[in-house]
């Protein structure tokens, strides 16, 4: 990343939780940020109002191929140093045999298919040596799946990781940095009220990892300390 011009990041899924704090931290460090949301107003708009010229808000329902194509068209001509796909859902803690088919489909499309569609759609906007990152989770680690629970969510993040590896293999020659990030267990709507971390504790560490990894080609699955997470 060049130190002589503004670095520009696009963050997908920034209305609240980790994505909102990620946008705030990038702006605080001098990045120009484009952040997507699927609602108007709220804390993201307040952050944009407090960051004139630094934060632009775009609308995106990530599972809509039409909305993704429209966003890609609006971004034509931009260059991005970082694309970070943060958005994901979970739908509770059912054993897989109790998961309705439409719930399985919704979670897999949102957490595994859509992030890769975003990455593929926007990759040509990413500068040579830029970074393509997706928020994964330790829960997506097959090696670390030794405690029960959250079977669908875990499967969706494992699928995300596998698809990102396929993408990274297919695009190995592009030289870009590709990251799957485990942010730790955070108190958000998704992480629940009993999680040990706040977003303000974990996200600065995540941005440290993004900045430290910038320019290093290839795919890594890293936690917020920059340590590899086993696949
Ligand atoms: N919290 C944790 O402990 C934890 C741990 C490991 C990994 N993660 C990962 O970190 C990321 C952020 O999680 P979080 O805890 O911040 O969750 P969160 O508070 O529930 O926020 C989720 C964000 O994703 C957006 N989103 C969901 N579905 C979307 C869609 N179809 N299109 C566009 N945006 C969508 C939400 O937008 P709306 O406001 O419009 O719903 C919201 O901005 C996720 O990838 C999650 O899997 C979280």
């Amino acid at each position: 990343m060049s130190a002589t011009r503004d670095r520009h990041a696009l963050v997908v899924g920034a209305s609240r939780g980790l994505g909102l704090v990620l946008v705030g931290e990038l702006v605080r460090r001098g990045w120009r940020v484009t952040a997507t949301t699927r609602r108007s107003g709220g804390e993201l708009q307040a952050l944009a109002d407090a960051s004139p010229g630094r934060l632009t808000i775009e609308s995106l329902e990530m599972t809509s191929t039409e909305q993704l194509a429209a966003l890609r068209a609006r971004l034509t001509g931009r260059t991005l140093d970082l694309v970070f796909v943060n958005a994901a859902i979970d739908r509770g803690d059912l054993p897989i045999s109790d998961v309705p088919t439409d719930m399985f489909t919704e979670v897999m499309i949102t957490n595994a298919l859509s992030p890769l569609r975003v990455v593929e759609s926007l990759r040509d906007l990413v500068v040579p040596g830029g970074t393509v990152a997706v928020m994964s989770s330790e829960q997506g680690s097959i090696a670390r799946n030794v405690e029960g629970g959250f079977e669908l969510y875990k499967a969706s993040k494992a699928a995300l990781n596998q698809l990102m590896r396929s993408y990274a293999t297919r695009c190995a020659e592009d030289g870009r940095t590709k990251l799957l990030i485990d942010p730790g267990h955070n108190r958000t709507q998704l992480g629940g009220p009993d999680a040990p971390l706040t977003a303000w504790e974990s996200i600065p560490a995540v941005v440290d990892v993004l900045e430290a990894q910038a320019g290093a080609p290839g795919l890594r699955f890293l936690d917020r300390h920059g340590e590899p997470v086993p696949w």
Side-chain angles (χ1 to χ4, degrees):
M1 291 179 209
S2 165
T4 57
R5 64 172 177 83
D6 282 352
R7 296 167 298 176
H8 190 178
L10 176 83
V11 178
V12 171
S15 62
R16 56 190 165 88
L18 299 178
L20 177 67
V21 175
L22 173 62
V23 168
E25 180 64 15
L26 289 168
V27 168
R28 194 184 69 74
R29 295 191 190 199
W31 290 68
R32 277 191 306 122
V33 181
T34 301
T36 81
T37 180
R38 49 183 184 175
R39 48 170 104 175
S40 57
E43 289 183 72
L44 183 62
Q45 185 61 57
L47 185 59
D49 293 343
S51 316
R54 310 305 302 175
L55 173 55
T56 305
I57 299 176
E58 289 282 354
S59 176
L60 180 66
E61 162 54 62
M62 185 175 65
T63 61
S64 164
T65 53
E66 292 80 11
Q67 288 192 25
L68 181 57
L71 175 68
R72 173 64 188 78
R74 292 197 297 278
L75 294 175
T76 296
R78 305 268 191 92
T79 54
L80 301 170
D81 298 279
L82 168 66
V83 168
F84 195 110
V85 186
N86 169 73
I89 55 172
D90 97 288
R91 289 291 180 257
D93 189 11
L94 294 171
I96 198 66
S97 54
D98 290 350
V99 169
T101 303
D102 57 352
M103 182 189 289
F104 183 88
T105 307
E106 179 196 21
V107 173
M108 283 292 183
I109 288 175
T110 305
N111 292 4
L113 177 59
S114 299
L116 268 294
R117 280 185 170 154
V118 172
V119 162
E120 297 273 10
S121 169
L122 304 181
R123 57 183 276 226
D124 65 320
L125 302 180
V126 179
V127 297
T131 299
V132 175
V134 183
M135 197 71 101
S136 183
S137 171
E138 184 187 31
Q139 303 261 304
S141 165
I142 290 172
R144 287 205 179 150
N145 186 5
V146 292
E147 292 176 9
F150 296 95
E151 296 177 13
L152 174 56
Y153 178 77
K154 285 177 178 173
S156 73
K157 289 296 190 181
L160 165 70
N161 291 354
Q162 186 72 287
L163 291 173
M164 188 70 175
R165 253 182 108 141
S166 296
Y167 164 76
T169 301
R170 178 158 39 82
C171 301
E173 301 308 315
D174 71 10
R176 295 187 176 95
T177 306
K178 302 174 186 82
L179 297 172
L180 290 157
I181 297 289
D182 164 31
H185 190 194
N186 285 263
R187 289 196 289 284
T188 63
Q189 189 167 315
L190 189 149
D194 300 325
L197 293 166
T198 69
W200 295 272
E201 291 167 328
S202 57
I203 287 298
V206 167
V207 179
D208 286 346
V209 173
L210 296 174
E211 293 188 333
Q213 290 293 324
L219 172 66
R220 280 166 289 280
F221 181 17
L222 300 176
D223 68 16
R224 69 188 187 285
H225 306 297
E227 295 298 324
V229 182
W231 296 98

